[in-house]
Amino acid sequence: MSDDGHEQNGHENVPSRRRRRFQGISSRAYEHPADRSALVALRKLSGFDTVFKALSGLLPERSLRLLFLSDSVRVSDAQFAHLNEMLRDACYILDLEKVPPMYVTQDPQPNAMCIGLDEPIIVVTTGLVELLDEEEMRAVVGHEVGHALSGHAVYRTILLFLTNLAIRVAWIPLGNLAIMAIVTALREWFRKSELSADRAGLLVGQDLQASMRGLMKIAGGNHLHEMNVDAFLEQAEEYDAGGDLRDSVLKILNVLPRTHPFAVVRAAELKNWAASRDYQRIMDGHYSRRSEDKDTSVSDSFRQSAASYASDVKQSKDPLMKLVTDLAGGAGDLGGRVRRGFAGFASSAPKDAPSQPHDGRPADDSRPADDGPDGPDGDD
């Protein structure tokens, strides 16, 4: 599988250093099971692509293309040449025949995206370009090329459109609820698609430490000498296992408005995948091929997705997930554990809030304060 540095296959460049190339690789090889099951089902729908592409007249895709063309810098051999080389490298390694257009846009916020219905386009911000070194940036470019290979750009564009539509019809109660239900489901899928794209970024960069550093910098900025990958991953362990049922609920509320998983979660997920047999098999040349995509079973994909969620729940150290596991196993005293887990909400009320004098009753007889903590709105 080692690249010999000579084969071109329609690309002007080959990787700048020796990295494995995955000729004919299907995106199913690296997709998260929950992401893969949704994509397989959608691809099996007759006329699905035609319908969504017909929506391009309703969506602001043409406007976005013109906006980036007129107010951003298009990556080429003449502009941001180092990014252009990374883009061609990534497409060569993942065997994506048509190299998507890529733009750099002025924005101090580190970000990147792959959008478009007819043809995907990749956009990276100046904040991201200035934040990451070459190998970290290579993983990000591979991440976005992974989105393009999976066809995520189509659904990302739909999500952007529906999110904007929900804001416009917020004054219509039922209409807004219906759209937000779809948006919430799309966000859950998109968070899983980000884990898939992180894997694609690792396949392109083939440098786990660079991928870890990039995620760490996105969380903590350009102070690498002040940060440590192992300590960062310990945060992920603490996030997963810490707290009680209150924290479990707050974690759900925190993540609902987001399209991306939290950085520490992404780092831990990617590290686990890099240590898995699935990753090693891909690196050894044993992976799903695009030529086999048409034969993929929808039911098998859904079973794999369900098994993945069940495994995540079983292995999680989160208090709520452990409670669900115990419930499935028939553990006793679950009611008492739930009451104890949520009893702390009462004690989190402000000290000057009206309350009954403490009379020594058990905590599960207390009533949570009306002005307890709300879930934050999120930062996406």
Side-chain angles (χ1 to χ4, degrees), residues 47-58 61 117-119 154:
F48 172 79
D49 289 339
T50 303
V51 171
F52 266 144
K53 287 181 179 179
L55 289 173
S56 61
L58 303 175
E61 182 182 8
L117 290 177
D118 291 322
E119 295 181 1
V154 173

Side-chain angles (χ1 to χ4, degrees), residues 86-128:
M86 290 181 195
L87 177 62
R88 291 184 178 278
D89 280 1
C91 292
Y92 179 82
I93 290 171
L94 293 181
D95 199 16
L96 184 63
E97 183 174 353
K98 188 169 183 180
V99 179
M102 182 175 178
Y103 294 89
V104 176
T105 189
Q106 172 62 32
D107 187 341
Q109 182 71 25
N111 198 12
M113 61 181 175
C114 181
I115 57 173
L117 290 177
D118 291 322
E119 295 181 1
I121 61 174
I122 295 172
V123 182
V124 297
T125 66
T126 52
L128 189 67

Side-chain angles (χ1 to χ4, degrees), residues 4 18 24 62 89 105 146 153 200 205 209 222 257 274 298 315 334 343:
D4 60 9
R18 293 177 68 86
R62 287 182 177 272
D89 280 1
T105 189
Q209 288 301 308
N222 193 16
V298 176
Q315 296 177 13
L334 290 177

Side-chain angles (χ1 to χ4, degrees), residues 51 129 149 228 264 269 335 353:
V51 171
V129 174
L149 182 59
N228 178 278
V264 295
E269 288 274 353

